[in-house]
Amino acid sequence: MYKYNSRVSYSEVDSKLNLTYFDLVNYMQDCSCFHSDDVGVGVRYLAPKKRGWFVTSYEIHINRMPEYMERIVVSTYPYQVRGMMARRIYTIESESGELLVYADSLWVLMDLENLRPARLTDEIIEAYPEDPDRPKFEFGRNKLRYNNDGKLVGHFTVNENHIDTNSHMNNSFYIDVTRRFLPREDFSTILVNYKKAAMLFDELEVYLVELEQGYQVVLMKDDDVYTIVEYK
């Protein structure tokens, strides 16, 4: 288990002073990066080897969004670190221990030169021992599908500020883009499946599907699905 303390800043909240979905994902991503770099197998270790972690899915459950000025504890628990993939659980708690957010995620280690999965080295695996005390949440791990029944609601172009060290659009920006097209933002579950990485200057179409409960937002280009996000 790895954790760090933070405080929700004014630049991270919406008009109601609640943490944005975008910054919620950034907190989880930062926790992963801090953890990896602190145990010696982070960005500075991977970059010279032309390797990088790509997230393929998030399942986020929100009990209550952190609020402006609130002190929080962000934690991550890596598990099933083997082959070419790893999973991480995240929790965000208040200073008093209230569970605000919990999430599961699946990551794949990529060969950045050939854009294909790469096998984890013993050094990477040993850096992430499983914590026997990691929380036991129930996750659906649903594979999202788009049935081509969405309404085209907008377009989006990937710019320089969206690109990360893996040379594609950072995973949190997919959340930032899709939430802009939601009729409302009061959801308790966010499911994300990343299908294809968006690159610099890609022009993406945004489709909105109304579900029985919530909405599905899909990013596409040339009939290829790049990302599916469901807000429920």
Side-chain angles (χ1 to χ4, degrees):
M1 187 265 278
Y2 179 91
K3 66 180 179 181
Y4 77 100
N5 298 324
S6 190
R7 192 178 191 183
V8 178
S9 68
Y10 185 78
S11 62
E12 296 171 327
V13 298
D14 60 18
S15 61
K16 297 180 180 178
L17 297 180
N18 292 320
L19 184 70
T20 66
Y21 295 147
F22 170 69
D23 287 294
L24 171 62
V25 174
N26 275 334
Y27 269 119
M28 296 191 298
Q29 179 175 250
D30 287 345
C31 191
S32 299
C33 292
F34 290 154
H35 180 200
S36 295
D37 279 300
D38 278 354
V39 297
V41 292
V43 174
R44 291 187 175 89
Y45 169 86
L46 294 173
K49 305 177 188 300
K50 306 298 183 183
R51 297 289 187 267
W53 286 103
F54 284 22
V55 62
T56 65
S57 68
Y58 279 119
E59 180 177 337
I60 304 168
H61 296 273
I62 302 167
N63 294 329
R64 175 175 69 79
M65 286 298 271
E67 301 170 351
Y68 172 56
M69 293 285 284
E70 187 168 13
R71 298 184 185 276
I72 58 175
V73 181
V74 187
S75 304
T76 185
Y77 303 78
Y79 70 106
Q80 294 181 6
V81 183
R82 55 177 180 259
M84 296 174 286
M85 296 182 292
R87 289 189 176 275
R88 280 184 180 272
I89 286 175
Y90 300 93
T91 62
I92 298 179
E93 298 176 301
S94 69
E95 198 172 36
S96 64
E98 177 189 357
L99 179 63
L100 306 178
V101 178
Y102 63 97
D104 192 33
S105 61
L106 178 62
W107 300 76
V108 59
L109 185 68
M110 294 292 290
D111 176 339
L112 300 179
E113 283 188 318
N114 300 300
L115 289 181
R116 63 187 182 191
R119 185 161 293 278
L120 275 62
T121 63
D122 290 340
E123 187 174 8
I124 293 175
I125 294 172
E126 291 168 3
Y128 301 119
E130 284 203 26
D131 187 339
D133 296 323
R134 68 179 166 86
K136 301 296 190 294
F137 298 113
E138 291 293 328
F139 294 110
R141 296 183 182 172
N142 298 320
K143 188 172 183 179
L144 305 182
R145 289 180 170 81
Y146 176 54
N147 297 321
N148 297 306
D149 53 353
K151 176 183 178 182
L152 179 63
V153 291
H155 295 80
F156 175 78
T157 302
V158 181
N159 294 316
E160 289 90 342
N161 63 302
H162 303 126
I163 301 299
D164 64 16
T165 56
N166 294 329
S167 298
H168 63 72
M169 187 163 80
N170 189 275
N171 67 79
S172 59
F173 281 109
Y174 293 85
I175 303 295
D176 188 46
V177 172
T178 57
R179 65 92 190 163
R180 299 178 196 178
F181 297 92
L182 295 170
R184 56 188 177 86
E185 291 189 48
D186 57 352
F187 303 98
S188 60
T189 302
I190 303 174
L191 308 175
V192 191
N193 278 188
Y194 299 93
K195 307 288 188 179
K196 189 172 181 179
M199 312 299 285
L200 184 62
F201 303 133
D202 275 346
E203 296 183 1
L204 305 177
E205 297 176 325
V206 185
Y207 290 86
L208 180 68
V209 181
E210 186 168 356
L211 306 173
E212 288 186 11
Q213 179 186 4
Y215 297 88
Q216 182 183 85
V217 189
V218 183
L219 299 180
M220 298 184 65
K221 177 186 174 185
D222 299 331
D223 296 325
D224 286 336
V225 174
Y226 276 57
T227 303
I228 302 174
V229 187
E230 290 189 358
Y231 297 86
K232 297 181 176 180

